[in-house]
Amino acid sequence: MDVRHAIQECGGVARTCELRRYGVSGDAVVAAAVDGTAVRLRKGVYANDARSAVAVAAAHGGSVTCVSALRAHGIWLLDAASSLHVNVGINGRVHPHYRCACIDHHEGKTTVFGVASAVDALKVAWRCLTLESYFVAFESAWRLGLLSEQNRRSLIEAVPERIACWLRRARGDADSGLESLFRFRMMLIGVEFESQVRIPNVGRVDFRCGRVLIEIDGRANHEGDSERARDLARDANAVQRGYVTLRFTYAMVVHHWPSTQAAVLAAIDDMAFITPADSL
Ligand SMILES: [Zn+2]
Ligand SMILES: [Zn+2]
């Protein structure tokens, strides 16, 4: 096997001893580093692409973890942190490297390279995320199929009770992180919604509370004229069944929460005394 292929098999970063298992000799690795086929991160550690997160973490002395691993798994994150979070192990040594801005984590006795699993990343990410960001990431990982029931139980046991009590109320059917964030913020003030409710002649709506329907429109969706026409038709059908629909964008949920919350509370207050047609 050639050097690049062998490094790839090891996850993009490999020690010389690991490469020997693929039949790659020490001389071949050194030659690859000299001709630029591979990159020498430090003595005995090689990567295919020095700029990859896995390579920077290995140069630092460990593996990609926490929010950086969550991002690598495609899990929805509210905060756009740029620092690389690296697990160097309990006794691991941190190696100086060019432009280091890494955040250290110290988990496990052995130093490994690569990207932590979603479960292992969530086990430590509560230390670096706000409660609501962590809740949203947990629901996102669940929705992506990255957390089994056993995984969720182990995470609930691993985090402090002030976080665990919220994870017990998490769901695996939120369509987007934005929906998770909306529901979490409403739960914080004691307002519970039914999620993903199917209403005749309207279809599935994100949330329902009494006569109020809430639709959360993500950034990429609901931009075209046809989508807008469809939304308006849904809203008109909802009115016929006794509902009022409120629609919120990414910016309204993330950046203008006080006015969004006020609108929801006012709508719930106004409509609470009327019984929806579906309940009759
Ligand atoms: Zn972290
Ligand atoms: Zn670093």
PDB file of all heavy atoms in Angstrom, residues 197-228:
ATOM      1  N   VAL A 197     -47.130  18.494  14.723  1.00  0.00           N
ATOM      2  CA  VAL A 197     -48.538  18.114  14.797  1.00  0.00           C
ATOM      3  C   VAL A 197     -49.143  18.100  13.389  1.00  0.00           C
ATOM      4  O   VAL A 197     -48.903  19.022  12.596  1.00  0.00           O
ATOM      5  CB  VAL A 197     -49.330  19.132  15.658  1.00  0.00           C
ATOM      6  CG1 VAL A 197     -50.773  18.663  15.840  1.00  0.00           C
ATOM      7  CG2 VAL A 197     -48.658  19.320  17.009  1.00  0.00           C
ATOM      8  N   ARG A 198     -49.874  17.036  13.084  1.00  0.00           N
ATOM      9  CA  ARG A 198     -50.529  16.959  11.770  1.00  0.00           C
ATOM     10  C   ARG A 198     -51.957  17.505  11.894  1.00  0.00           C
ATOM     11  O   ARG A 198     -52.720  17.046  12.740  1.00  0.00           O
ATOM     12  CB  ARG A 198     -50.546  15.507  11.294  1.00  0.00           C
ATOM     13  CG  ARG A 198     -50.851  15.341   9.832  1.00  0.00           C
ATOM     14  CD  ARG A 198     -50.396  13.996   9.324  1.00  0.00           C
ATOM     15  NE  ARG A 198     -48.964  13.949   9.035  1.00  0.00           N
ATOM     16  CZ  ARG A 198     -48.386  14.526   7.984  1.00  0.00           C
ATOM     17  NH1 ARG A 198     -49.109  15.203   7.117  1.00  0.00           N
ATOM     18  NH2 ARG A 198     -47.084  14.426   7.794  1.00  0.00           N
ATOM     19  N   ILE A 199     -52.276  18.511  11.075  1.00  0.00           N
ATOM     20  CA  ILE A 199     -53.599  19.141  11.143  1.00  0.00           C
ATOM     21  C   ILE A 199     -54.283  18.974   9.788  1.00  0.00           C
ATOM     22  O   ILE A 199     -53.679  19.281   8.745  1.00  0.00           O
ATOM     23  CB  ILE A 199     -53.461  20.636  11.520  1.00  0.00           C
ATOM     24  CG1 ILE A 199     -52.938  20.714  12.956  1.00  0.00           C
ATOM     25  CG2 ILE A 199     -54.798  21.367  11.382  1.00  0.00           C
ATOM     26  CD1 ILE A 199     -52.596  22.081  13.424  1.00  0.00           C
ATOM     27  N   PRO A 200     -55.523  18.465   9.767  1.00  0.00           N
ATOM     28  CA  PRO A 200     -56.229  18.227   8.494  1.00  0.00           C
ATOM     29  C   PRO A 200     -56.268  19.493   7.632  1.00  0.00           C
ATOM     30  O   PRO A 200     -56.520  20.587   8.151  1.00  0.00           O
ATOM     31  CB  PRO A 200     -57.648  17.823   8.955  1.00  0.00           C
ATOM     32  CG  PRO A 200     -57.472  17.316  10.355  1.00  0.00           C
ATOM     33  CD  PRO A 200     -56.334  18.087  10.941  1.00  0.00           C
ATOM     34  N   ASN A 201     -56.046  19.331   6.340  1.00  0.00           N
ATOM     35  CA  ASN A 201     -56.056  20.415   5.342  1.00  0.00           C
ATOM     36  C   ASN A 201     -54.914  21.423   5.515  1.00  0.00           C
ATOM     37  O   ASN A 201     -54.817  22.377   4.759  1.00  0.00           O
ATOM     38  CB  ASN A 201     -57.378  21.202   5.349  1.00  0.00           C
ATOM     39  CG  ASN A 201     -58.532  20.354   4.911  1.00  0.00           C
ATOM     40  OD1 ASN A 201     -58.339  19.366   4.194  1.00  0.00           O
ATOM     41  ND2 ASN A 201     -59.722  20.701   5.351  1.00  0.00           N
ATOM     42  N   VAL A 202     -54.090  21.250   6.518  1.00  0.00           N
ATOM     43  CA  VAL A 202     -52.955  22.158   6.730  1.00  0.00           C
ATOM     44  C   VAL A 202     -51.650  21.381   6.540  1.00  0.00           C
ATOM     45  O   VAL A 202     -50.722  21.836   5.875  1.00  0.00           O
ATOM     46  CB  VAL A 202     -53.003  22.786   8.149  1.00  0.00           C
ATOM     47  CG1 VAL A 202     -51.767  23.648   8.407  1.00  0.00           C
ATOM     48  CG2 VAL A 202     -54.280  23.604   8.312  1.00  0.00           C
ATOM     49  N   GLY A 203     -51.597  20.185   7.086  1.00  0.00           N
ATOM     50  CA  GLY A 203     -50.380  19.386   7.030  1.00  0.00           C
ATOM     51  C   GLY A 203     -49.675  19.405   8.365  1.00  0.00           C
ATOM     52  O   GLY A 203     -50.258  19.772   9.390  1.00  0.00           O
ATOM     53  N   ARG A 204     -48.405  19.043   8.329  1.00  0.00           N
ATOM     54  CA  ARG A 204     -47.641  18.977   9.578  1.00  0.00           C
ATOM     55  C   ARG A 204     -47.109  20.358   9.919  1.00  0.00           C
ATOM     56  O   ARG A 204     -46.494  21.012   9.086  1.00  0.00           O
ATOM     57  CB  ARG A 204     -46.478  17.993   9.419  1.00  0.00           C
ATOM     58  CG  ARG A 204     -45.912  17.528  10.741  1.00  0.00           C
ATOM     59  CD  ARG A 204     -44.778  16.567  10.516  1.00  0.00           C
ATOM     60  NE  ARG A 204     -43.655  17.226   9.863  1.00  0.00           N
ATOM     61  CZ  ARG A 204     -42.420  16.722   9.819  1.00  0.00           C
ATOM     62  NH1 ARG A 204     -42.172  15.558  10.356  1.00  0.00           N
ATOM     63  NH2 ARG A 204     -41.449  17.380   9.218  1.00  0.00           N
ATOM     64  N   VAL A 205     -47.378  20.790  11.144  1.00  0.00           N
ATOM     65  CA  VAL A 205     -46.846  22.083  11.585  1.00  0.00           C
ATOM     66  C   VAL A 205     -45.800  21.836  12.660  1.00  0.00           C
ATOM     67  O   VAL A 205     -45.806  20.808  13.333  1.00  0.00           O
ATOM     68  CB  VAL A 205     -47.954  23.013  12.126  1.00  0.00           C
ATOM     69  CG1 VAL A 205     -48.971  23.323  11.035  1.00  0.00           C
ATOM     70  CG2 VAL A 205     -48.640  22.422  13.343  1.00  0.00           C
ATOM     71  N   ASP A 206     -44.905  22.809  12.807  1.00  0.00           N
ATOM     72  CA  ASP A 206     -43.792  22.622  13.753  1.00  0.00           C
ATOM     73  C   ASP A 206     -44.292  22.538  15.192  1.00  0.00           C
ATOM     74  O   ASP A 206     -43.909  21.642  15.937  1.00  0.00           O
ATOM     75  CB  ASP A 206     -42.780  23.769  13.607  1.00  0.00           C
ATOM     76  CG  ASP A 206     -42.112  23.757  12.243  1.00  0.00           C
ATOM     77  OD1 ASP A 206     -42.048  22.670  11.644  1.00  0.00           O
ATOM     78  OD2 ASP A 206     -41.670  24.826  11.783  1.00  0.00           O
ATOM     79  N   PHE A 207     -45.155  23.495  15.581  1.00  0.00           N
ATOM     80  CA  PHE A 207     -45.625  23.515  16.969  1.00  0.00           C
ATOM     81  C   PHE A 207     -47.083  23.936  17.042  1.00  0.00           C
ATOM     82  O   PHE A 207     -47.559  24.721  16.222  1.00  0.00           O
ATOM     83  CB  PHE A 207     -44.803  24.524  17.801  1.00  0.00           C
ATOM     84  CG  PHE A 207     -43.346  24.203  17.871  1.00  0.00           C
ATOM     85  CD1 PHE A 207     -42.426  24.961  17.144  1.00  0.00           C
ATOM     86  CD2 PHE A 207     -42.880  23.168  18.661  1.00  0.00           C
ATOM     87  CE1 PHE A 207     -41.071  24.674  17.199  1.00  0.00           C
ATOM     88  CE2 PHE A 207     -41.522  22.870  18.715  1.00  0.00           C
ATOM     89  CZ  PHE A 207     -40.622  23.622  17.985  1.00  0.00           C
ATOM     90  N   ARG A 208     -47.768  23.437  18.082  1.00  0.00           N
ATOM     91  CA  ARG A 208     -49.134  23.891  18.356  1.00  0.00           C
ATOM     92  C   ARG A 208     -49.278  24.110  19.850  1.00  0.00           C
ATOM     93  O   ARG A 208     -48.818  23.300  20.654  1.00  0.00           O
ATOM     94  CB  ARG A 208     -50.152  22.842  17.899  1.00  0.00           C
ATOM     95  CG  ARG A 208     -51.592  23.245  18.285  1.00  0.00           C
ATOM     96  CD  ARG A 208     -52.621  22.341  17.656  1.00  0.00           C
ATOM     97  NE  ARG A 208     -52.651  21.031  18.297  1.00  0.00           N
ATOM     98  CZ  ARG A 208     -53.500  20.054  17.963  1.00  0.00           C
ATOM     99  NH1 ARG A 208     -54.375  20.242  16.987  1.00  0.00           N
ATOM    100  NH2 ARG A 208     -53.471  18.899  18.583  1.00  0.00           N
ATOM    101  N   CYS A 209     -49.895  25.228  20.207  1.00  0.00           N
ATOM    102  CA  CYS A 209     -50.231  25.485  21.602  1.00  0.00           C
ATOM    103  C   CYS A 209     -51.649  26.054  21.584  1.00  0.00           C
ATOM    104  O   CYS A 209     -51.850  27.198  21.154  1.00  0.00           O
ATOM    105  CB  CYS A 209     -49.252  26.463  22.241  1.00  0.00           C
ATOM    106  SG  CYS A 209     -49.604  26.776  23.984  1.00  0.00           S
ATOM    107  N   GLY A 210     -52.638  25.237  21.975  1.00  0.00           N
ATOM    108  CA  GLY A 210     -54.020  25.686  21.901  1.00  0.00           C
ATOM    109  C   GLY A 210     -54.399  25.988  20.459  1.00  0.00           C
ATOM    110  O   GLY A 210     -54.260  25.150  19.572  1.00  0.00           O
ATOM    111  N   ARG A 211     -54.799  27.225  20.187  1.00  0.00           N
ATOM    112  CA  ARG A 211     -55.208  27.628  18.834  1.00  0.00           C
ATOM    113  C   ARG A 211     -54.074  28.258  18.044  1.00  0.00           C
ATOM    114  O   ARG A 211     -54.270  28.738  16.943  1.00  0.00           O
ATOM    115  CB  ARG A 211     -56.322  28.676  18.936  1.00  0.00           C
ATOM    116  CG  ARG A 211     -57.690  28.113  19.224  1.00  0.00           C
ATOM    117  CD  ARG A 211     -58.714  29.190  18.964  1.00  0.00           C
ATOM    118  NE  ARG A 211     -58.694  29.574  17.558  1.00  0.00           N
ATOM    119  CZ  ARG A 211     -58.867  30.826  17.120  1.00  0.00           C
ATOM    120  NH1 ARG A 211     -59.039  31.803  17.974  1.00  0.00           N
ATOM    121  NH2 ARG A 211     -58.859  31.099  15.848  1.00  0.00           N
ATOM    122  N   VAL A 212     -52.887  28.276  18.633  1.00  0.00           N
ATOM    123  CA  VAL A 212     -51.759  28.952  17.966  1.00  0.00           C
ATOM    124  C   VAL A 212     -50.827  27.926  17.329  1.00  0.00           C
ATOM    125  O   VAL A 212     -50.390  26.975  17.980  1.00  0.00           O
ATOM    126  CB  VAL A 212     -50.980  29.825  18.974  1.00  0.00           C
ATOM    127  CG1 VAL A 212     -49.808  30.520  18.286  1.00  0.00           C
ATOM    128  CG2 VAL A 212     -51.911  30.844  19.621  1.00  0.00           C
ATOM    129  N   LEU A 213     -50.556  28.132  16.052  1.00  0.00           N
ATOM    130  CA  LEU A 213     -49.577  27.297  15.347  1.00  0.00           C
ATOM    131  C   LEU A 213     -48.307  28.108  15.139  1.00  0.00           C
ATOM    132  O   LEU A 213     -48.375  29.301  14.845  1.00  0.00           O
ATOM    133  CB  LEU A 213     -50.120  26.855  13.990  1.00  0.00           C
ATOM    134  CG  LEU A 213     -51.487  26.164  13.964  1.00  0.00           C
ATOM    135  CD1 LEU A 213     -51.864  25.811  12.527  1.00  0.00           C
ATOM    136  CD2 LEU A 213     -51.469  24.930  14.848  1.00  0.00           C
ATOM    137  N   ILE A 214     -47.185  27.451  15.300  1.00  0.00           N
ATOM    138  CA  ILE A 214     -45.902  28.132  15.091  1.00  0.00           C
ATOM    139  C   ILE A 214     -45.143  27.401  13.997  1.00  0.00           C
ATOM    140  O   ILE A 214     -45.003  26.177  14.041  1.00  0.00           O
ATOM    141  CB  ILE A 214     -45.031  28.104  16.375  1.00  0.00           C
ATOM    142  CG1 ILE A 214     -45.812  28.621  17.583  1.00  0.00           C
ATOM    143  CG2 ILE A 214     -43.726  28.849  16.159  1.00  0.00           C
ATOM    144  CD1 ILE A 214     -45.905  30.093  17.721  1.00  0.00           C
ATOM    145  N   GLU A 215     -44.643  28.153  13.030  1.00  0.00           N
ATOM    146  CA  GLU A 215     -43.785  27.588  11.992  1.00  0.00           C
ATOM    147  C   GLU A 215     -42.434  28.286  12.059  1.00  0.00           C
ATOM    148  O   GLU A 215     -42.370  29.522  12.073  1.00  0.00           O
ATOM    149  CB  GLU A 215     -44.410  27.802  10.603  1.00  0.00           C
ATOM    150  CG  GLU A 215     -45.734  27.082  10.393  1.00  0.00           C
ATOM    151  CD  GLU A 215     -45.576  25.644   9.924  1.00  0.00           C
ATOM    152  OE1 GLU A 215     -44.696  24.936  10.446  1.00  0.00           O
ATOM    153  OE2 GLU A 215     -46.333  25.259   9.028  1.00  0.00           O
ATOM    154  N   ILE A 216     -41.384  27.491  12.117  1.00  0.00           N
ATOM    155  CA  ILE A 216     -40.031  28.042  12.164  1.00  0.00           C
ATOM    156  C   ILE A 216     -39.404  27.843  10.787  1.00  0.00           C
ATOM    157  O   ILE A 216     -39.250  26.708  10.338  1.00  0.00           O
ATOM    158  CB  ILE A 216     -39.163  27.310  13.219  1.00  0.00           C
ATOM    159  CG1 ILE A 216     -39.890  27.253  14.572  1.00  0.00           C
ATOM    160  CG2 ILE A 216     -37.800  27.966  13.342  1.00  0.00           C
ATOM    161  CD1 ILE A 216     -40.045  28.574  15.250  1.00  0.00           C
ATOM    162  N   ASP A 217     -39.084  28.943  10.121  1.00  0.00           N
ATOM    163  CA  ASP A 217     -38.532  28.850   8.764  1.00  0.00           C
ATOM    164  C   ASP A 217     -37.015  29.016   8.800  1.00  0.00           C
ATOM    165  O   ASP A 217     -36.520  30.083   9.142  1.00  0.00           O
ATOM    166  CB  ASP A 217     -39.145  29.950   7.875  1.00  0.00           C
ATOM    167  CG  ASP A 217     -40.659  29.771   7.745  1.00  0.00           C
ATOM    168  OD1 ASP A 217     -41.143  28.686   8.114  1.00  0.00           O
ATOM    169  OD2 ASP A 217     -41.330  30.711   7.293  1.00  0.00           O
ATOM    170  N   GLY A 218     -36.315  27.947   8.457  1.00  0.00           N
ATOM    171  CA  GLY A 218     -34.858  27.996   8.429  1.00  0.00           C
ATOM    172  C   GLY A 218     -34.350  28.906   7.321  1.00  0.00           C
ATOM    173  O   GLY A 218     -35.101  29.345   6.467  1.00  0.00           O
ATOM    174  N   ARG A 219     -33.055  29.187   7.343  1.00  0.00           N
ATOM    175  CA  ARG A 219     -32.472  30.147   6.402  1.00  0.00           C
ATOM    176  C   ARG A 219     -32.601  29.716   4.946  1.00  0.00           C
ATOM    177  O   ARG A 219     -32.850  30.523   4.078  1.00  0.00           O
ATOM    178  CB  ARG A 219     -30.995  30.358   6.727  1.00  0.00           C
ATOM    179  CG  ARG A 219     -30.782  31.466   7.701  1.00  0.00           C
ATOM    180  CD  ARG A 219     -29.332  31.692   7.972  1.00  0.00           C
ATOM    181  NE  ARG A 219     -28.744  30.596   8.731  1.00  0.00           N
ATOM    182  CZ  ARG A 219     -27.572  30.665   9.327  1.00  0.00           C
ATOM    183  NH1 ARG A 219     -26.849  31.760   9.248  1.00  0.00           N
ATOM    184  NH2 ARG A 219     -27.088  29.657  10.014  1.00  0.00           N
ATOM    185  N   ALA A 220     -32.443  28.415   4.697  1.00  0.00           N
ATOM    186  CA  ALA A 220     -32.395  27.970   3.306  1.00  0.00           C
ATOM    187  C   ALA A 220     -33.790  27.774   2.705  1.00  0.00           C
ATOM    188  O   ALA A 220     -33.950  27.756   1.502  1.00  0.00           O
ATOM    189  CB  ALA A 220     -31.619  26.665   3.219  1.00  0.00           C
ATOM    190  N   ASN A 221     -34.797  27.637   3.581  1.00  0.00           N
ATOM    191  CA  ASN A 221     -36.129  27.302   3.075  1.00  0.00           C
ATOM    192  C   ASN A 221     -37.005  28.537   2.895  1.00  0.00           C
ATOM    193  O   ASN A 221     -36.658  29.625   3.294  1.00  0.00           O
ATOM    194  CB  ASN A 221     -36.815  26.344   4.056  1.00  0.00           C
ATOM    195  CG  ASN A 221     -36.015  25.082   4.217  1.00  0.00           C
ATOM    196  OD1 ASN A 221     -35.426  24.600   3.260  1.00  0.00           O
ATOM    197  ND2 ASN A 221     -35.970  24.576   5.426  1.00  0.00           N
ATOM    198  N   HIS A 222     -38.149  28.300   2.326  1.00  0.00           N
ATOM    199  CA  HIS A 222     -39.208  29.307   2.263  1.00  0.00           C
ATOM    200  C   HIS A 222     -38.738  30.597   1.572  1.00  0.00           C
ATOM    201  O   HIS A 222     -39.111  31.677   1.964  1.00  0.00           O
ATOM    202  CB  HIS A 222     -39.741  29.626   3.670  1.00  0.00           C
ATOM    203  CG  HIS A 222     -40.277  28.411   4.356  1.00  0.00           C
ATOM    204  ND1 HIS A 222     -41.585  28.008   4.268  1.00  0.00           N
ATOM    205  CD2 HIS A 222     -39.659  27.486   5.122  1.00  0.00           C
ATOM    206  CE1 HIS A 222     -41.757  26.891   4.961  1.00  0.00           C
ATOM    207  NE2 HIS A 222     -40.602  26.554   5.484  1.00  0.00           N
ATOM    208  N   GLU A 223     -37.884  30.464   0.577  1.00  0.00           N
ATOM    209  CA  GLU A 223     -37.379  31.659  -0.092  1.00  0.00           C
ATOM    210  C   GLU A 223     -38.100  31.928  -1.402  1.00  0.00           C
ATOM    211  O   GLU A 223     -38.246  33.072  -1.801  1.00  0.00           O
ATOM    212  CB  GLU A 223     -35.874  31.520  -0.344  1.00  0.00           C
ATOM    213  CG  GLU A 223     -35.081  31.706   0.942  1.00  0.00           C
ATOM    214  CD  GLU A 223     -33.633  31.283   0.801  1.00  0.00           C
ATOM    215  OE1 GLU A 223     -33.287  30.707  -0.248  1.00  0.00           O
ATOM    216  OE2 GLU A 223     -32.873  31.522   1.736  1.00  0.00           O
ATOM    217  N   GLY A 224     -38.566  30.892  -2.068  1.00  0.00           N
ATOM    218  CA  GLY A 224     -39.153  31.077  -3.393  1.00  0.00           C
ATOM    219  C   GLY A 224     -40.618  31.473  -3.330  1.00  0.00           C
ATOM    220  O   GLY A 224     -41.271  31.326  -2.300  1.00  0.00           O
ATOM    221  N   ASP A 225     -41.116  31.992  -4.461  1.00  0.00           N
ATOM    222  CA  ASP A 225     -42.517  32.416  -4.538  1.00  0.00           C
ATOM    223  C   ASP A 225     -43.464  31.246  -4.314  1.00  0.00           C
ATOM    224  O   ASP A 225     -44.506  31.388  -3.675  1.00  0.00           O
ATOM    225  CB  ASP A 225     -42.797  33.039  -5.910  1.00  0.00           C
ATOM    226  CG  ASP A 225     -42.183  34.437  -5.994  1.00  0.00           C
ATOM    227  OD1 ASP A 225     -41.802  34.960  -4.931  1.00  0.00           O
ATOM    228  OD2 ASP A 225     -42.078  34.960  -7.112  1.00  0.00           O
ATOM    229  N   SER A 226     -43.112  30.068  -4.880  1.00  0.00           N
ATOM    230  CA  SER A 226     -44.019  28.922  -4.767  1.00  0.00           C
ATOM    231  C   SER A 226     -44.128  28.482  -3.307  1.00  0.00           C
ATOM    232  O   SER A 226     -45.214  28.140  -2.836  1.00  0.00           O
ATOM    233  CB  SER A 226     -43.549  27.768  -5.647  1.00  0.00           C
ATOM    234  OG  SER A 226     -42.280  27.341  -5.228  1.00  0.00           O
ATOM    235  N   GLU A 227     -43.000  28.522  -2.574  1.00  0.00           N
ATOM    236  CA  GLU A 227     -43.052  28.154  -1.153  1.00  0.00           C
ATOM    237  C   GLU A 227     -43.911  29.149  -0.383  1.00  0.00           C
ATOM    238  O   GLU A 227     -44.691  28.773   0.481  1.00  0.00           O
ATOM    239  CB  GLU A 227     -41.640  28.126  -0.524  1.00  0.00           C
ATOM    240  CG  GLU A 227     -40.839  26.880  -0.838  1.00  0.00           C
ATOM    241  CD  GLU A 227     -40.065  27.035  -2.122  1.00  0.00           C
ATOM    242  OE1 GLU A 227     -40.291  28.057  -2.812  1.00  0.00           O
ATOM    243  OE2 GLU A 227     -39.239  26.164  -2.430  1.00  0.00           O
ATOM    244  N   ARG A 228     -43.750  30.436  -0.735  1.00  0.00           N
ATOM    245  CA  ARG A 228     -44.519  31.467  -0.039  1.00  0.00           C
ATOM    246  C   ARG A 228     -46.021  31.274  -0.312  1.00  0.00           C
ATOM    247  O   ARG A 228     -46.844  31.360   0.603  1.00  0.00           O
ATOM    248  CB  ARG A 228     -44.060  32.855  -0.499  1.00  0.00           C
ATOM    249  CG  ARG A 228     -44.829  33.986   0.149  1.00  0.00           C
ATOM    250  CD  ARG A 228     -44.141  35.334  -0.010  1.00  0.00           C
ATOM    251  NE  ARG A 228     -45.080  36.420   0.247  1.00  0.00           N
ATOM    252  CZ  ARG A 228     -45.575  36.712   1.437  1.00  0.00           C
ATOM    253  NH1 ARG A 228     -45.196  36.028   2.497  1.00  0.00           N
ATOM    254  NH2 ARG A 228     -46.440  37.685   1.605  1.00  0.00           N
TER     255      ARG A 228
END
